[in-house]
Amino acid sequence: MIGNLLRAEYRKFTSTQVWFWMLLVCVALTSAFTAGQIGGTKYDDELQSNVRDVLLSATGGFTYIPLFVLGVLSVTTEYRYQTITPTVLATPSRWTIIFVKTIATALVGIVYALICLIVELAIALPWLATRHVHVDLPSQVGTLASAFVVLALFALVGLGAGALIKNQIVAVTVGVIFVAFLDHIVLIIPGVKHIYPYLLSGATNAITVSPHDDHTINGVTLLSVGGGIAVLVVWGLVMAVLGAGITMNRDIT
Amino acid sequence: MTGASDSSRIVVNGLSKDFGRGIKAVDQLSFTVEPGSVTGFLGPNGAGKTTTLRMLLGLVNPSAGTATIGGQAYRDITNPLTRVGASLEASSYHPARTGLNHLRILCAAAGLPDSRADAVIAQVGLGDAAKRKVRGYSLGMRQRLGLAAALIGDPGVLILDEPANGLDPDGIRWLRGFFRHLAAEGRSVLVSSHQLNEIQEVADRVVILDRGRLVRSGSIDELTAGTDVVRVHTPTPQPFAAALAAAGLGVVELAPGVLDIRGGPVELVGHLAFVNGIELHQLSGSRANLEDLFFALTQGAHQALPQRPPAPQPRVGGVQ
């Protein structure tokens, strides 16, 4: 049954053009920030020492936002266009619906994250070569993996936000405000800044921070890479479970 | 299709829905839809029809009572699209998706081959528009797409909410034939509609709601029984009225020489005229139709059945 429902989700995803436009936004943001990192660094020596930052461009350039939005749309589009009615008629259990959407969104996140990384490398490697910058790819696998993980997990976080807040615009707006602003404001408030590692930005920084840096920001110690991944997964899953149990279980009138 | 069997019997028992502030959309509603029958689900706007159908389909949680299909709540039915087809509103479509893709998504979810989508979209007459985006569909086309979605799993039970909304006269004629076709195939159909004449033609039974409560249910013949009215024109109304009253029939003289007689079929009235030597210039019978019944029941005026244009006050000795 799960296989059938995943096939249905795949068809929902590919039967409108949203997937294409969101992919275009992801590729455009990745390209722009990769180019910005390389083009904005004047000296080749400086660029050589910033290779890690260049390879993190895929996440540093707000590319996580379209993936977050894609996750949100997976649920909220169903409510916006009332397709939730045929969806629930085909699959009465809201738990099954959200379980299948979680798997489908994770797969979409993985594919989009891979495409972003491929685009990034396709731009960065030839360009860096012309700047006489050597990239030892095997030693950068960890960097690429952290960028990949953040992108893929933000799709999952988006799904959770969409399940919990079924209004599309509210879910996207609240999510972006949290990640882009409120998390960082928390970091400068003395009394509450220690929760930062458990927020989305804090977890993202824990995953992408250089192993050679100290794991502190503004006096707050970040989690380990595994801890950061766990925090993003928990955010996505907890919101999805709450959404399935509360928001999606409400009457569909 | 599963055919007429207990697995397609719909049983609604003590169903209630309170949306808060003490407003009961549905109040202690009970009725049964027998397998292989077409049942009209009637009531004025706000009577609770849509809420009832949504509770039956597991979309709305009842405040009390149960609603089952073949003894199971909809939520407990495995692969429900193959047992129950539903068409609820003409707006549950992504506008950027084609009609065919909408149906193919349902095929995938129910584990059906894509050929089912092709078959049902042709069955509802949308074959030429199958690959057009739904945003370009008229309301009538969306209704047809909803019916196609209901048929996708070839279910034995169909639950249709106002399927005639937005249909033009051609579409309504098509829908009438469609209902007949469904009934001939032995499916159980529960259909809410404002098209009373269409329902009368196709429904075996009706369930009438008003303000969330059951007003009446049964076959149309059962519900209209006792509403026969026979009208006669006679140059000798007084002796005939007396003869009719003696036979236990109710008589009202609408105008000089025009009598309305209740309580007996036209054959009995004709026979009484013959045996009493009464000259008749007209003898005709009528029975309340579903529309009369609906308005009478939902306006609290059942005693006025059948409704007719205002008549003059009775003048002669009717027993009425």
Side-chain angles (χ1 to χ4, degrees):
Chain A
M1 184 183 77
I2 297 299
N4 289 338
L5 297 178
L6 277 173
R7 201 156 58 96
E9 285 299 318
Y10 171 75
R11 287 187 170 179
K12 285 179 193 174
F13 186 68
T14 56
S15 59
T16 69
Q17 292 184 336
V18 172
W19 71 270
F20 172 75
W21 292 110
M22 296 308 284
L23 185 59
L24 204 62
V25 172
C26 287
V27 168
L29 285 172
T30 301
S31 306
F33 278 85
T34 305
Q37 282 283 343
I38 299 173
T41 306
K42 192 171 180 182
Y43 301 106
D44 294 352
D45 292 351
E46 189 186 351
L47 197 54
Q48 179 69 65
S49 61
N50 286 347
V51 164
R52 191 169 192 284
D53 290 338
V54 171
L55 297 181
L56 281 175
S57 300
T59 54
F62 293 107
T63 309
Y64 66 87
I65 290 179
L67 277 156
F68 172 82
V69 171
L70 211 52
V72 167
L73 294 182
S74 166
V75 181
T76 57
T77 300
E78 298 262 21
Y79 284 96
R80 182 174 179 191
Y81 297 113
Q82 297 175 41
T83 53
I84 190 68
T85 296
T87 295
V88 171
L89 288 177
T91 317
S93 164
R94 277 64 159 176
W95 295 108
T96 306
I97 291 172
I98 209 69
F99 176 69
V100 169
K101 282 190 179 292
T102 301
I103 296 174
T105 304
L107 291 174
V108 167
I110 287 169
V111 171
Y112 274 50
L114 276 175
I115 292 172
C116 288
L117 287 181
I118 289 167
V119 167
E120 178 189 79
L121 291 174
I123 295 171
L125 294 181
W127 196 346
L128 289 173
T130 63
R131 301 276 301 262
H132 310 295
V133 173
H134 172 68
V135 180
D136 180 25
L137 269 183
S139 69
Q140 296 293 346
V141 166
T143 306
L144 294 170
S146 56
F148 168 78
V149 164
V150 167
L151 286 177
L153 287 182
F154 259 90
L156 197 62
V157 172
L159 170 93
L164 196 59
I165 309 168
K166 61 186 182 183
N167 182 294
Q168 196 161 301
I169 293 169
V170 174
V172 170
T173 307
V174 167
V176 171
I177 286 175
F178 258 91
V179 178
F181 302 106
L182 291 183
D183 282 8
H184 301 287
I185 291 173
V186 165
L187 194 56
I188 58 172
I189 302 172
V192 294
K193 67 180 183 180
H194 292 289
I195 66 167
Y196 178 75
Y198 304 99
L199 301 180
L200 296 173
S201 297
T204 304
N205 280 329
I207 297 168
T208 57
V209 71
S210 167
H212 305 299
D213 291 347
D214 66 344
H215 278 225
T216 58
I217 296 179
N218 206 21
V220 176
T221 303
L222 297 172
L223 299 173
S224 64
V225 172
I229 291 173
V231 166
L232 288 186
V233 170
V234 167
W235 267 101
L237 292 185
V238 166
M239 287 194 291
V241 166
L242 288 176
I246 301 170
T247 312
M248 292 180 71
N249 213 27
R250 289 187 184 140
D251 293 339
I252 300 168
T253 54
Chain B
M1 192 195 49
T2 54
S5 69
D6 284 355
S7 67
S8 55
R9 176 177 284 115
I10 297 171
V11 178
V12 171
N13 187 19
L15 202 62
S16 296
K17 181 62 185 180
D18 189 341
F19 281 114
R21 288 172 295 179
I23 300 168
K24 285 201 166 180
V26 179
D27 189 9
Q28 289 291 313
L29 181 64
S30 299
F31 65 88
T32 301
V33 176
E34 293 300 328
S37 69
V38 177
T39 299
F41 196 44
L42 311 176
N45 288 336
K49 303 186 297 295
T50 297
T51 302
T52 301
L53 297 184
R54 284 182 173 270
M55 285 193 281
L56 183 55
L57 293 165
L59 297 167
V60 168
N61 301 307
S63 305
T66 58
T68 59
I69 299 167
Q72 284 181 293
Y74 188 88
R75 287 184 184 217
D76 299 330
I77 297 174
T78 306
N79 205 359
L81 294 187
T82 59
R83 287 266 310 277
V84 183
S87 172
L88 292 178
E89 69 229 336
S91 56
S92 296
Y93 311 109
H94 195 300
R97 200 169 275 148
T98 67
L100 189 60
N101 276 336
H102 175 78
L103 298 175
R104 285 184 172 174
I105 288 168
L106 298 178
C107 285
L112 301 166
D114 285 349
S115 56
R116 275 302 296 165
D118 301 329
V120 292
I121 206 162
Q123 189 178 352
V124 300
L126 282 180
D128 292 341
K131 293 186 177 173
R132 276 168 50 192
K133 289 180 179 170
V134 174
R135 70 160 64 95
Y137 280 22
S138 67
L139 181 55
M141 292 166 80
R142 290 175 190 220
Q143 287 285 18
R144 289 176 187 240
L145 184 59
L147 293 169
L151 291 168
I152 198 88
D154 196 19
V157 178
L158 284 160
I159 295 171
L160 312 173
D161 191 12
E162 303 286 358
N165 270 2
L167 292 182
D168 56 19
D170 263 358
I172 289 173
R173 182 193 293 172
W174 168 82
L175 188 65
R176 188 190 307 147
F178 186 68
F179 281 148
R180 285 190 182 127
H181 177 68
L182 296 176
E185 290 181 332
R187 300 178 202 262
S188 299
V189 184
L190 178 61
V191 54
S192 83
S193 179
H194 286 134
Q195 302 288 330
L196 299 176
N197 292 334
E198 304 306 322
I199 290 292
Q200 177 147 13
E201 288 204 28
V202 296
D204 305 300
R205 301 174 64 81
V206 293
V207 174
I208 302 177
L209 257 66
D210 192 23
R211 299 182 192 98
R213 288 174 171 269
L214 179 69
V215 176
R216 194 70 68 88
S217 70
S219 70
I220 295 172
D221 276 347
E222 284 168 8
L223 297 183
T224 56
T227 64
D228 291 298
V229 175
V230 180
R231 178 165 292 180
V232 297
H233 288 212
T234 174
T236 54
Q238 300 277 2
F240 192 37
L244 291 166
L249 303 180
V251 184
V252 174
E253 185 172 8
L254 296 177
V258 181
L259 303 178
D260 264 5
I261 302 132
R262 297 165 192 258
V266 67
E267 293 82 2
L268 175 62
V269 174
H271 176 71
L272 289 173
F274 176 74
V275 298
N276 287 286
I278 302 293
E279 177 183 346
L280 296 183
H281 295 168
Q282 181 185 325
L283 173 66
S284 60
S286 67
R287 173 175 277 200
N289 60 24
L290 187 57
E291 190 170 275
D292 295 326
L293 187 74
F294 176 83
F295 285 116
L297 291 176
T298 58
Q299 292 169 9
H302 183 51
Q303 66 279 11
L305 276 175
Q307 293 196 332
R308 292 187 175 284
Q313 288 296 309
R315 290 181 54 210
V316 293
V319 182
Q320 187 86 340

